[in-house]
């Protein structure tokens, strides 16, 4: 089945406007696009024939003949896949990237990419069938890994053992029969914030993603910045100390080895063995293991040892942000992936380090905030990634 998409640059611009801003009147769109009315009408007619655009009712009157609203067609539906932090998440969005349906389930990425990607195909097929769709317009995938975007493959991913160079994009595209875009999860989250979150008003910001893997998405000049080989923002493996803890990448003293979920759990177990936390000791005795949620719960309930662990990790992360803020000079820093309850403690420590050690020019009006989109940032951002591809002129 041939791919359906805009055929001209003007059609692509129109679709992206409707995706980003929602339904708009024909009169407004003519003004924004700067097209002659006859040309605009012809482009709209063709997009309507393709099922990419439809009329959404009458627009508010501006005097004279009443215009009509246009919106992205109801059959335009994007799939989104997020792998990470022990879960597989899939979602369906409309053409404006609003989440319509989703499914989450536990996953062990160590079973290998074939099994995980195969399960994602099954779940996307289920969401598509429930929505009565013959096919999806495109699917975006967010992975907790460095990704060679041109190839659609993860590259030496510490958080995804056994996934190196697995053809995630090509496998999904062959199974689903639609365009697929694969990227690092921090990049997807940054785009999700840019589209529907706190980052929407800002052209220049950093999105710092915590969790099993630590990363950073950079939006500069209103667009995602990936770098020459799609490796920009991989802060998780910056070395803070030479003699620090061993990281999953094989090096020592990385940011992730201090600030990732596994690092918090490791330090929590150490605190229990040293007799510093009754709350964590009780949880370990009950469950036989500890999770980052256990650490967060203990910290939220006032456990001194757990709060110290969170503050130490936040302080390390703040040290990294001092350099990033001074170098990039973002308008805002958004932090996501924090376990429930510890956001305020973590944020206070990070702010203290960054505001104290960065230059006044860089931080004078720069807020540091927690994301309010949670994992929706990655799902919306993944859909945004593939929509850019699907809404490009053929």
């Amino acid at each position: 089945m041939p791919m359906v998409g805009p055929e001209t640059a003007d059609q692509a611009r129109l679709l992206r406007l409707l995706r980003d801003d929602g339904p708009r009147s024909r009169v407004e769109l003519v003004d924004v696009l700067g097209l002659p009315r006859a040309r605009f009408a012809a482009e709209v007619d063709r997009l309507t024939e393709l099922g990419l655009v439809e009329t959404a009712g009458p627009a508010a009157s501006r005097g004279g003949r009443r215009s009509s609203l246009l919106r992205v067609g109801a059959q335009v539906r994007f799939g989104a896949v997020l792998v990470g932090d022990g879960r597989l998440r899939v979602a369906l969005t409309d053409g404006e990237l609003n989440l319509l349906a989703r499914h989450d389930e536990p996953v062990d990425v160590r079973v290998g990419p074939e099994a995980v990607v195969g399960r994602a195909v099954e779940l996307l097929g289920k969401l598509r069938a429930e929505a009565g769709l013959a096919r999806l317009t495109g699917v975006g995938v967010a992975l907790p890994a460095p990704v060679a975007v041109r190839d659609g493959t993860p590259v030496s991913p510490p958080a995804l053992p056994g996934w190196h160079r697995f053809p995630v994009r090509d496998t999904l595209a062959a199974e689903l029969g639609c365009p697929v875009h694969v990227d690092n999860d921090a990049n997807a989250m940054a785009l999700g914030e840019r589209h529907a979150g706190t980052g929407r008003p800002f052209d220049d910001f950093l999105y710092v993603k915590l969790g099993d893997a630590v990363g950073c998405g950079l939006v500069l000049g209103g667009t995602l910045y990936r770098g020459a080989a799609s490796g920009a923002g991989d802060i998780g493996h910056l070395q803070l100390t030479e003699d620090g803890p061993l990281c999953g990448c094989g090096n020592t003293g990385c940011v992730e080895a201090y600030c990732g979920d596994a690092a918090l759990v490791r330090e929590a177990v150490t605190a229990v063995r040293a007799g510093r936390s009754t709350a964590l000791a009780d949880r370990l005795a009950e469950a036989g293991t500890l999770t980052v949620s256990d650490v967060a719960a203990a910290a939220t309930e006032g456990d001194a040892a757990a709060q110290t662990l969170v503050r130490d990790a936040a302080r390390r992360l703040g040290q990294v942000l001092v350099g990033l803020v001074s170098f990039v000079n973002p308008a805002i820093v958004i932090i996501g992936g924090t376990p429930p309850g510890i956001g305020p403690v973590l944020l206070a420590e990070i702010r203290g380090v960054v505001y104290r050690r960065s230059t006044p020019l860089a931080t004078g009006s720069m807020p540091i905030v927690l994301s309010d989109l949670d994992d929706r940032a990655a799902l919306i951002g993944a859909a945004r990634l593939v929509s850019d591809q699907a809404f490009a002129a053929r």
Side-chain angles (χ1 to χ4, degrees):
M1 183 183 295
M3 298 296 105
V4 176
E7 299 169 339
T8 69
D10 288 329
Q11 290 177 15
R13 289 173 60 207
L14 173 57
L15 276 173
R16 293 187 187 206
L17 277 171
L18 295 176
R19 175 197 67 186
D20 296 344
D21 297 339
R24 300 185 69 169
S25 73
R26 290 173 179 264
V27 172
E28 290 177 320
L29 290 167
V30 167
D31 291 343
V32 172
L33 295 171
L35 295 177
R37 291 185 180 275
R39 173 69 181 277
F40 172 80
E43 300 288 34
V44 170
D45 287 345
R46 181 55 181 154
L47 286 172
T48 301
E49 290 174 11
L50 294 171
L52 296 172
V53 164
E54 63 187 27
T55 301
S61 176
R62 294 172 50 172
R65 185 178 179 183
R66 200 170 194 184
S67 181
S68 60
L69 291 172
L70 295 177
R71 66 183 175 200
V72 180
Q75 290 300 303
V76 175
R77 294 290 185 262
F78 296 107
V81 178
L82 171 60
V83 178
D85 296 340
R87 299 197 70 79
L88 172 63
R89 302 169 174 90
V90 299
L92 188 70
T93 81
D94 63 15
E96 297 172 24
L97 312 187
N98 298 302
L99 293 176
L100 302 177
R102 62 179 289 174
H103 176 87
D104 300 4
E105 65 182 37
V107 69
D108 183 353
V109 297
R110 293 171 298 181
V111 301
E114 294 91 348
V116 177
V117 171
R119 181 57 178 160
V121 169
E122 292 176 5
L123 295 173
L124 286 168
K126 181 180 179 182
L127 292 182
R128 181 186 64 192
E130 290 173 350
L133 299 171
R135 54 171 293 161
L136 296 173
T137 310
V139 173
V141 182
L143 299 177
V147 172
V149 172
R150 290 182 181 179
D151 300 329
T153 64
V155 179
S156 301
L160 297 175
W163 287 58
H164 176 63
R165 291 294 182 184
F166 181 80
V168 175
R169 181 195 64 198
D170 293 347
T171 301
L172 279 168
E175 291 286 343
L176 298 170
C178 66
V180 177
H181 188 106
V182 182
D183 209 330
N184 170 263
D185 57 1
N187 285 344
M189 291 172 178
L191 276 185
E193 287 288 344
R194 171 68 172 161
H195 184 83
T198 306
R200 187 171 173 86
F202 302 99
D203 287 336
D204 301 277
F205 68 87
L206 301 180
Y207 182 95
V208 179
K209 176 254 176 185
L210 305 179
D212 287 343
V214 176
C216 181
L218 293 81
V219 171
L220 303 177
T223 60
L224 182 67
Y225 179 77
R226 290 192 179 90
S230 308
D234 190 11
I235 65 171
H237 302 289
L238 295 176
Q239 190 178 54
L240 293 177
T241 59
E242 292 186 2
D243 58 350
L246 181 66
C247 182
C249 70
N251 294 320
T252 56
C254 295
V255 172
E256 200 168 287
Y258 282 109
C259 305
D261 286 357
L264 285 173
V265 171
R266 180 195 68 231
E267 293 303 311
V269 172
T270 299
V272 168
R273 289 174 177 167
R276 298 197 304 268
S277 173
T278 302
L280 290 172
D282 290 346
R283 179 58 183 164
L284 181 59
E286 177 186 347
T289 186
L290 289 176
T291 67
V292 71
S293 295
D294 296 328
V295 178
T300 304
E301 293 165 6
D303 182 79
Q307 290 181 344
T308 297
L309 298 183
V310 173
R311 290 194 180 99
D312 286 347
R315 186 171 63 254
R316 301 274 189 182
L317 186 60
Q319 291 168 359
V320 175
L321 284 175
V322 168
L324 294 177
V325 164
S326 297
F327 186 73
V328 177
N329 188 205
I332 188 172
V333 174
I334 304 169
I335 299 173
T338 58
I342 65 172
V345 174
L346 182 141
L347 197 59
E349 194 72 30
I350 290 175
R351 285 172 172 167
V353 173
V354 174
Y355 293 147
R356 184 171 63 250
R357 296 186 52 188
S358 300
T359 63
L361 180 61
T363 60
S365 60
M366 184 200 74
I368 303 174
V369 302
L370 297 175
S371 170
D372 58 5
L373 286 180
D374 51 65
D375 60 9
R376 291 172 295 162
L379 295 171
I380 294 169
R384 170 68 181 249
L385 286 164
V386 77
S387 73
D388 283 342
Q389 180 180 343
F391 288 171
R394 298 287 178 258

